[in-house]
Amino acid sequence: MGVTYKYFGAPDGATAARVPISMRPEELGGDELGMGGLFTKIKPETVAAMVLTGIEGIPLHKVPPLELVVLHPDYAVVKLPTTVVDPLRGIGEESVGAAAFIWSTVPDRGGPSDAFNVYQLLHEWQDFSQRLHEAGHQPYCLVWP
């Protein structure tokens, strides 16, 4: 059993903090959290680092920290810097491919990732970023142990 991350949009921290504590990841369809969210096993700090370093070229030590919104014994809610999702909206296929390749060469616990899988994930994040922007929402992540 691993940690599950549910990325979602909310207009503000107070709204994001009202995540129902009884709901498990498999029960969340997205609408309860304001948008069609995004489930993944990828940590928010990893997403932040890879988008900002792989696409924006920001040095790793300059990546802004996540903001803790709620810390509960059963879950946590963190806010991602807006700079993590905004860059994805304006990039084209070539930039997505280049970022996927860069990300695929960074080993994680399971070894390097497949570049095509990372490419598909970045496209999901592009769609998510666009939905956040259209709704005027901030990016948040609900974390279950």
Side-chain angles (χ1 to χ4, degrees):
M1 187 166 122
V3 175
T4 301
Y5 303 98
K6 165 81 177 189
Y7 294 89
F8 65 98
D12 53 51
T15 303
R18 288 194 297 267
V19 174
I21 62 169
S22 64
M23 301 192 90
R24 304 307 296 166
E26 60 275 2
E27 296 170 336
L28 291 170
D31 292 340
E32 303 88 346
L33 299 178
M35 347 200 32
L38 190 62
F39 279 116
T40 183
K41 294 286 186 181
I42 299 173
K43 295 193 277 189
E45 52 272 22
T46 302
V47 171
M50 292 313 302
V51 167
L52 294 176
T53 58
I55 294 173
E56 292 289 286
I58 294 173
L60 198 53
H61 69 279
K62 297 246 187 213
V63 173
L66 304 173
E67 178 185 323
L68 183 64
V69 177
V70 174
L71 180 58
H72 184 277
D74 296 328
Y75 67 92
V77 176
V78 294
K79 179 181 177 191
L80 283 78
T82 305
T83 54
V84 170
V85 291
D86 285 351
L88 290 167
R89 283 199 329 273
I91 64 171
E93 287 297 309
E94 191 173 302
S95 295
V96 172
F101 175 75
I102 291 167
W103 192 344
S104 74
T105 64
V106 177
D108 58 23
R109 281 187 231 155
S113 302
D114 178 78
F116 185 70
N117 290 342
V118 176
Y119 175 81
Q120 289 178 308
L121 177 72
L122 285 174
H123 271 292
E124 288 177 26
W125 273 91
Q126 269 191 310
D127 294 343
F128 180 60
S129 175
Q130 191 59 43
R131 291 193 311 266
L132 284 177
H133 179 71
E134 289 169 1
H137 286 179
Q138 303 286 323
Y140 292 91
C141 183
L142 177 60
V143 182
W144 287 274

